[in-house]
Amino acid sequence: MRSARILLLAAASFAALTAAAPALAQVANTDPWTQTTSDVPADQAVRFGVLPNGMQYALMRNATPPGQASFRLRIDAGSLMENEDQLGLAHFMEHMAFNGTTNIPENELLRILERRGLAFGADTNASTGFDETVYMLEIPNADAGTIDDSLRILREQMSEALMAPEAVEAERNVIVGEERLRNTPGLRSIKAQLGLYAPGQRIANRLPIGDLDIIRTAPRERFVEFYQGYYRPERATFVAVGDFNVDEMEAKVRSAFESWEGRGPAGPEPDLGTVAPRGPETRILVEPGVQSSIELGFIRNPDRDPDSVAERRDNLIRRLGVAVLNRRLGEIARGDNPPFLTASGGEFELADSFAAASVSAQYNVGGWQRALEAIEQEQRRLVQYGVSDAELQREITATRTALENAVAGAATRRTPLLAGALVGSVNSKTVFATPQTNLDLFNAAVEGLTAATVNQTLPEVFQGEGPLALVVTPEPIEGGEAAVTAALEASRQTPVAAPAAQAELDWPYQTFGSAGAVTDRREIAELGATVLTFANGVVVTVKPTDFRDEQILVRVDTGIGEMGQPTDRPTVEGLGANVLTAGGLGRLTVDEMSRVLNGRVYSTGFSVAADRYSLTGATRPADLPLQMQVLAAYLTDPGIRPAPFQLLKSSYGQQLAQARATPGGAFAVDGGAILSSGDARDGLPPADAVAGWTNDELKAEITRGLASGPIHITIVGDVTLDDVIASVAPTFGALAARGPEAAPLPGSDQKRFPAPTSAPIELTHTGPAEQALAIVAWPTTDAVGDRTEARQLSILSAVLRLRVLEEIREKQALAYSPGVGAQSSDVYPDYGFMLVQGEIARDNLAAFNTAVDGIAATLRDAPPEADELNRARLPAIERLRLSQATNEYWLGQLADVAERPQEVQEITRHIAVLEAITPEDIQRLAQKYLRPETAVRVQVVSSTAAAPAAQ
């Protein structure tokens, strides 16, 4: 059985952890693609091939968005292939591939791509996992020259990396900086989990970041050994998806890669070990700042059965049963006084090393026993009593709806997602099939499927060595592992009852009054949009698009948002975005909504912006009437039940502690208020304030905020004006006319950047002593009205970023991932800022500030060269051009065009403004804004004692 691969704990946020299954190391004599030995048909739109040297390739034409292409080059090797004296060198080698090749000097490789509109990080990147390394290029403009340069660079990286000794030395501190950045409570939890799940196996000691001692000292020869052993054509797969001619692309791929030959002996396949026989075992990791969690795992050797129709059916039956468990756990978490914050179960395999079934929960500090008992007994209830036919049909309907949507939108799938899916199919040794094939296989698998059949498989799911209990906690547990083991054994002896049947319900929000009529219709030809005004004053801006089949995005704006909140103290209203949708509606809980509307496509989000409240949703044409009913119900009858708010309150203190365990998290808590002169709306409220707030206060504040002000709706996507009118007229168009907007509170319509201080403003985190965050920020301008200068500042920040990366990351290796950003408010006059930040070693705070000051001075002293300006500007223009082919872009851009006619010109001339910027403009803006006397400096340092200098 080859289940979907689920990364461990928080591994999804750690880019270096990816899962794959190693392929054969020898040059293949026959087609190695999975579909050649499977009865699952592959997508015929993809051209699969193999070069004579063994390199695989998959090419697919896709024109969503037009002009874009995505390249992926996967090497079937990662940290599992390292020897004991190479720990970390697979990842280090990924870095070195960008540091000069035989025919491309180190500094020129990225510059070639930047001149083609690719930005480092956003469009040019790579990642190293346990058993694969993937190089990624997002090509915004797939013309012949850009494709040729991209293929040339990838080929050079694969076979011509120099690994010059001086480049290796320079990169060591960059890797050390990355390790410092990644060294978080979450990563340390992953290490503990691997140690528990796979003792004695290779994977337990092969996190891609590696061993710092080896990273600091490994000689060049070890890099060469790994590179030549594993960067070989027979271990490579090239994927290209995009707006190109497949025949021409295939010819280019052959020209670029056919001459590639491996050097020296091929690297051996590693001995991954086997899962050892084990009984129940408990492990506790005490990690200050971590989210409290508990997991019960059942470990077994991976099932290496090949991908087939029968295998997929077996997996589906198991997944449907586990889906019922997850829905039950979710409903428990959303109930009154729940035993955990969230919980879930599932099966996964990791890097062909082990398979596991697990059930886990996150809980509040001190609540480990309730959480343990709840997940253990709910998992056992599933196995003992199974699922009901009603529960099974609910999951079948939900899954079928998702697959049908995928079929309906297949023609407009986005290029990067397709490229990622193709690489993923190589990684998992599964056939890349069409959405229609996936739907057909699903329908065939569930035809006649009964709960009895599913229930027969459930005991097999949670079988294996164990159970292994892992508790991750910021505070010690009284009694230690013995207490957890005793509680688990006691829970396993507790009888469980069959789950209660749930009542049938109806959807009660179909009528909001007499349908409203459209009284005015205005075309905005420049934007392809229409503004409709209903008799009750509701305004709807509509833009039909063909960007995504079967996708419609909706946004409902009303009220004045943060301008109705005070600036000098936090208020309970600021938590509304966290709990409003979770509270359901007045007549249905969110779980009851899910049951009633199962099989329908809708969503609901809520946010509080500077000058408005926004309800958002995503749907398909068939469900647009329902989507408008749901949003109108949330506006007029939000449930705002106590349970979600109490859950937030109970976990809030732990969430703050978790954030403050890293420098970046600590700044996220308090930094926003610092950059707005202490404005309470920009910081997170203290835990004692939240503890004193009530749900009644929250409900009163949110209800008040949503009750007044005009309603403006924006609808973008696969929609017609007639469908919009038919959906809005009986919902929002039927509401009573609303009064004017509330007046802002005194001072709440303003924000101010702080005055500089003689010493950096200091915040503290609770993580390792050597970790620090440094920020240098300058006040700039707003984007209210004319946005020309604000948009010019975005290019100044892009030029600044190029220099920061070169100086602070590459030359001085002070920070692995320094950031540069510019923000200009379109609400608050005269408020904006630009900043440079970097997570660094505490000893390097002064050096970081000096480096930033020096970079700013160079921009003030002389204009950038035309080449540098273009390398900064072209990626920004290309990203903007690509975003303009998305519904998400237009949903945001059109929100104000009905009330602010000048917005039309601002939208249409955005690219022209960027194209017109000159080097002299950059220098002028730097002289105007990047002034040392206006800079505000912030540093976040550990509250623990500084590490001794010798360390």
Side-chain angles (χ1 to χ4, degrees):
M1 194 234 0
R2 191 169 297 281
S3 303
R5 294 165 185 269
I6 303 173
L7 298 185
L8 305 177
L9 294 174
S13 66
F14 181 49
L17 284 182
T18 56
L24 296 175
Q26 303 301 316
V27 177
N29 295 317
T30 59
D31 190 339
W33 288 101
T34 304
Q35 59 265 24
T36 61
T37 56
S38 173
D39 56 354
V40 177
D43 189 339
Q44 294 300 304
V46 182
R47 182 172 298 177
F48 297 95
V50 185
L51 298 180
N53 59 12
M55 187 180 107
Q56 299 180 153
Y57 62 86
L59 312 175
M60 182 180 189
R61 186 182 185 278
N62 188 67
T64 305
Q68 186 183 19
S70 293
F71 287 0
R72 305 286 186 270
L73 207 160
R74 177 184 182 272
I75 293 295
D76 186 29
S79 58
L80 284 174
M81 284 67 180
E82 297 165 345
N83 297 326
E84 290 299 321
D85 64 354
Q86 292 177 326
L87 300 185
L89 296 197
H91 171 242
F92 203 147
M93 186 58 243
E94 169 218 311
H95 281 241
M96 294 310 301
F98 290 92
N99 280 287
T101 66
T102 301
N103 302 298
I104 304 176
E106 175 182 353
N107 293 332
E108 192 63 17
L109 190 150
L110 290 175
R111 291 179 181 180
I112 292 171
L113 296 173
E114 288 165 351
R115 294 181 189 113
R116 296 291 189 178
L118 283 73
F120 175 65
D123 304 313
T124 307
N125 215 326
S127 66
T128 304
F130 287 117
D131 48 15
E132 69 171 354
T133 304
V134 181
Y135 293 82
M136 299 166 279
L137 295 180
E138 296 297 344
I139 301 171
N141 186 5
D143 58 38
T146 304
I147 287 176
D148 290 344
D149 278 346
S150 299
L151 290 173
R152 177 168 64 96
I153 285 171
L154 286 171
R155 168 58 195 276
E156 288 273 326
Q157 290 179 306
M158 295 304 103
S159 65
E160 302 295 329
L162 290 177
M163 292 168 283
E166 61 274 15
V168 171
E169 291 303 317
E171 197 69 18
R172 294 190 198 275
N173 282 335
V174 175
I175 304 292
V176 170
E178 182 174 0
E179 191 279 340
R180 183 173 56 245
L181 178 68
R182 308 291 191 197
N183 185 16
T184 63
L187 179 61
R188 294 190 287 274
S189 298
I190 293 170
K191 291 180 180 179
Q193 188 183 35
L194 287 174
L196 176 64
Y197 277 7
Q201 289 188 256
R202 194 178 188 90
I203 198 169
N205 188 37
R206 283 300 189 280
L207 282 178
I209 198 63
D211 184 300
L212 282 183
D213 288 337
I214 293 174
I215 289 168
R216 290 188 174 107
T217 62
R220 178 181 181 275
E221 291 72 24
R222 291 189 205 165
F223 292 86
V224 173
E225 179 186 1
F226 186 88
Y227 184 59
Q228 293 184 352
Y230 293 101
Y231 277 60
R232 307 175 66 87
E234 65 269 23
R235 300 191 80 99
T237 302
F238 176 73
V239 170
V241 180
D243 194 1
F244 51 71
N245 179 284
V246 172
D247 290 336
E248 294 176 359
M249 180 62 73
E250 184 175 38
K252 289 178 180 289
V253 171
R254 287 186 175 276
S255 176
F257 290 102
E258 269 189 338
S259 62
W260 178 18
E261 296 179 356
R263 300 178 186 174
E269 288 296 332
D271 180 0
L272 302 179
T274 58
V275 173
R278 303 165 70 186
E281 189 175 338
T282 300
R283 187 79 52 81
I284 296 176
L285 172 66
V286 179
E287 182 64 56
V290 78
Q291 169 64 54
S292 302
S293 66
I294 188 164
E295 179 170 15
L296 301 178
F298 300 83
I299 313 303
R300 54 184 179 268
N301 285 311
D303 186 341
R304 298 182 175 90
D305 290 344
D307 189 19
S308 67
V309 171
E311 183 75 2
R312 291 193 179 195
R313 183 179 187 274
D314 290 345
N315 291 345
L316 172 64
I317 292 172
R318 298 162 74 100
R319 287 199 302 270
L320 288 171
V322 174
V324 172
L325 172 64
N326 283 326
R327 200 177 291 269
R328 292 178 183 175
L329 292 170
E331 292 181 354
I332 292 172
R334 290 183 289 271
D336 293 328
N337 190 29
F340 42 68
L341 304 175
T342 61
S344 65
E347 292 183 277
F348 66 88
E349 292 181 11
L350 192 61
D352 218 25
S353 296
F354 64 85
S358 68
V359 59
S360 61
Q362 295 184 339
Y363 61 89
N364 287 323
V365 174
W368 66 268
Q369 187 164 349
R370 286 188 68 209
L372 169 63
E373 293 168 349
I375 62 174
E376 188 279 324
Q377 292 171 25
E378 206 59 40
Q379 175 265 319
R380 191 154 40 87
R381 192 190 324 275
L382 178 79
V383 173
Q384 183 172 341
Y385 294 102
V387 305
S388 68
D389 283 312
E391 288 177 310
L392 173 61
Q393 291 306 314
R394 183 179 178 186
E395 301 306 331
I396 289 175
T397 299
T399 305
R400 178 181 287 119
T401 299
L403 292 172
E404 289 173 342
N405 285 344
V407 171
T412 53
R413 290 172 290 175
R414 299 194 69 79
T415 286
L417 297 180
L418 284 168
L422 271 165
V423 171
S425 71
V426 179
N427 188 29
S428 60
K429 287 189 177 180
T430 54
V431 177
F432 183 83
T434 66
Q436 185 64 58
T437 295
N438 292 332
L439 176 61
D440 292 343
L441 292 178
F442 172 83
N443 283 333
V446 299
E447 184 176 359
L449 183 64
T450 65
T453 301
V454 174
N455 294 339
Q456 289 175 356
T457 71
L458 291 176
E460 301 173 5
V461 174
F462 295 96
Q463 285 185 353
E465 307 301 329
L468 308 178
L470 174 65
V471 183
V472 181
T473 172
E475 298 178 1
I477 291 176
E478 184 176 354
E481 294 174 352
V484 175
T485 299
L488 174 59
E489 185 57 32
S491 179
R492 295 175 72 182
Q493 301 305 315
T494 302
V496 294
Q502 295 175 326
E504 294 291 329
L505 298 167
D506 295 318
W507 174 241
Y509 293 97
Q510 299 185 49
T511 303
F512 293 84
S514 300
V518 174
T519 58
D520 184 68
R521 180 184 303 215
R522 176 167 57 92
E523 304 293 331
I524 306 178
E526 302 95 318
L527 305 180
T530 302
V531 178
L532 307 171
T533 303
F534 283 78
N536 62 352
V538 170
V539 175
V540 186
T541 302
V542 185
K543 181 177 173 63
T545 73
D546 57 5
F547 303 141
R548 292 282 302 277
D549 293 342
E550 295 290 301
Q551 183 193 63
I552 301 172
L553 303 183
V554 182
R555 172 171 158 177
V556 180
D557 295 329
T558 192
I560 62 171
E562 290 181 351
M563 289 201 291
Q565 300 175 16
T567 63
D568 60 345
R569 57 183 175 82
T571 63
V572 66
E573 184 184 350
L575 301 179
N578 301 92
V579 298
L580 182 122
T581 57
L585 300 170
R587 286 181 276 178
L588 290 175
T589 68
V590 71
D591 289 311
E592 290 169 340
M593 287 177 62
S594 178
R595 292 205 301 274
V596 170
L597 302 178
N598 187 39
R600 308 292 295 276
V601 177
Y602 73 97
S603 66
T604 310
F606 177 68
S607 61
V608 183
D611 60 347
R612 71 194 72 192
Y613 302 94
S614 296
L615 287 161
T616 56
T619 186
R620 59 183 177 181
D623 286 323
L624 180 59
L626 172 67
Q627 179 69 74
M628 302 315 295
Q629 291 171 9
V630 170
L631 294 177
Y634 267 105
L635 179 69
T636 59
D637 188 30
I640 315 182
R641 288 176 169 79
F645 185 61
Q646 291 304 317
L647 187 64
L648 184 150
K649 286 180 63 176
S650 70
S651 63
Y652 187 77
Q654 184 175 203
Q655 291 175 7
L656 284 185
Q658 187 178 356
R660 289 197 168 104
T662 64
F667 184 75
V669 173
D670 299 314
I674 288 176
L675 297 180
S676 58
S677 299
D679 193 319
R681 298 171 294 180
D682 290 329
L684 294 179
D688 57 352
V690 173
W693 291 335
T694 68
N695 190 68
D696 288 342
E697 292 172 330
L698 174 65
K699 189 168 187 175
E701 289 295 309
I702 294 294
T703 303
R704 173 195 57 77
L706 294 176
S708 63
I711 296 173
H712 183 197
I713 303 172
T714 307
I715 301 179
V716 177
D718 187 4
V719 71
T720 66
L721 284 176
D722 289 343
D723 288 342
V724 168
I725 293 170
S727 300
V728 174
T731 53
F732 290 93
L735 302 179
R738 292 161 64 96
E741 288 182 348
L745 295 180
S748 292
D749 57 352
Q750 301 176 16
K751 279 191 182 179
R752 292 287 179 264
F753 191 81
T757 57
S758 57
I761 300 169
E762 187 166 289
L763 302 173
T764 60
H765 67 90
T766 58
E770 69 274 11
Q771 293 181 346
L773 173 69
I775 294 170
V776 181
W778 303 267
T780 57
T781 190
D782 61 65
V784 179
D786 187 350
R787 301 180 190 173
T788 300
E789 189 162 87
R791 286 168 172 170
Q792 292 174 333
L793 284 168
S794 72
I795 302 304
L796 170 60
S797 74
V799 175
L800 181 59
R801 180 176 183 269
L802 290 180
R803 297 195 180 186
V804 163
L805 287 172
E806 182 175 357
E807 182 66 29
I808 292 178
R809 175 189 159 106
E810 298 301 331
K811 289 185 179 180
Q812 298 192 41
L814 296 175
Y816 165 70
S817 184
V820 179
Q823 177 176 313
S824 295
S825 173
D826 60 359
V827 174
Y828 302 109
D830 301 320
Y831 184 68
F833 56 85
M834 188 174 297
L835 62 77
V836 180
Q837 67 175 17
E839 293 204 26
I840 59 177
R842 183 168 184 165
D843 292 345
N844 288 333
L845 285 167
F848 181 90
N849 282 285
T850 299
V852 172
D853 290 344
I855 295 168
T858 64
L859 288 169
R860 294 193 304 269
D861 292 344
E865 296 291 334
D867 178 67
E868 183 182 26
L869 174 57
N870 283 331
R871 290 190 292 110
R873 173 173 50 194
L874 286 178
I877 290 174
E878 293 296 347
R879 284 195 302 273
L880 176 57
R881 182 180 63 80
L882 288 176
S883 70
Q884 289 176 341
T886 67
N887 292 324
E888 290 80 3
Y889 170 85
W890 289 104
L891 188 73
Q893 293 295 309
L894 295 175
D896 295 322
V897 295
E899 291 82 14
R900 303 177 191 170
Q902 68 273 20
E903 289 291 307
V904 175
Q905 184 182 19
E906 293 293 338
I907 294 170
T908 57
R909 71 189 189 101
H910 192 168
I911 288 180
V913 168
L914 302 184
E915 289 176 335
I917 295 172
T918 66
E920 290 71 28
D921 289 329
I922 298 299
Q923 183 185 19
R924 172 181 56 81
L925 293 170
Q927 291 173 340
K928 183 177 181 179
Y929 293 114
L930 302 187
R931 295 154 45 199
E933 67 272 17
T934 65
V936 168
R937 304 174 193 275
V938 182
Q939 60 187 37
V940 186
V941 298
S942 177
S943 57
T944 63
Q951 295 181 358

